[in-house]
Amino acid sequence: MRALIQRVTHASVTVEGTSVGEIGPGLLILVCAMPGDNFDTARALAAKVSKLRIFHDAAGKMNLSLAQTGGAALVVSQFTLAADTSRGNRPGFSGAAKPDEAETHYLHFAHCLRELNIPTETGRFGAEMKVALINDGPVTIWLDTNAP
């Protein structure tokens, strides 16, 4: 799975003008399932995200995790994280998991965060979404479970 994580003070997602998810301080997590991903991949990524020490401690150092701060997660499906831009000017997305499989893993990832006691909101899989955020820092981190 791939994830682009942004530390935020606020984030929200709307579909057709209706809010479907909103959080205060925490992480906006754009996530993309890739072929070969499974429930274990989603669980491992959720564990990694919950433990990343990217929040400030009392000394102002990035030393605390989402789990330690009590922050929330807004998880949004983002198949474009699988973009292949190696040829031409139009990205290819055939490297992303098929939609039914991708939705299952996306929802399982959000479920795993909830199991880790992370308050978690989601977007709506496959919908045209409007995502708003205030990036805190800014802190933006790329994770890929297949990266070495």
Side-chain angles (χ1 to χ4, degrees), residues 31-94:
V31 66
C32 177
M34 305 294 286
D37 287 341
N38 55 43
F39 284 163
D40 291 336
T41 309
R43 186 176 314 291
L45 182 60
K48 177 77 171 180
V49 167
S50 74
K51 294 176 189 172
L52 274 178
R53 295 175 9 184
I54 59 174
F55 292 88
H56 294 291
D57 63 15
K61 299 208 183 250
M62 287 199 315
N63 203 27
L64 298 176
S65 68
L66 183 62
Q68 291 171 309
T69 64
L74 177 57
V75 181
V76 176
S77 61
Q78 182 85 41
F79 78 93
T80 60
L81 292 178
D84 177 0
T85 59
S86 63
R87 294 179 293 156
N89 295 316
R90 184 169 185 247
F93 302 107
S94 61

Side-chain angles (χ1 to χ4, degrees), residues 107-121:
L107 293 173
H108 188 66
F109 172 76
H111 171 78
C112 290
L113 286 173
R114 289 183 190 107
E115 282 186 330
L116 294 167
N117 297 315
I118 306 294
T120 303
E121 298 281 324

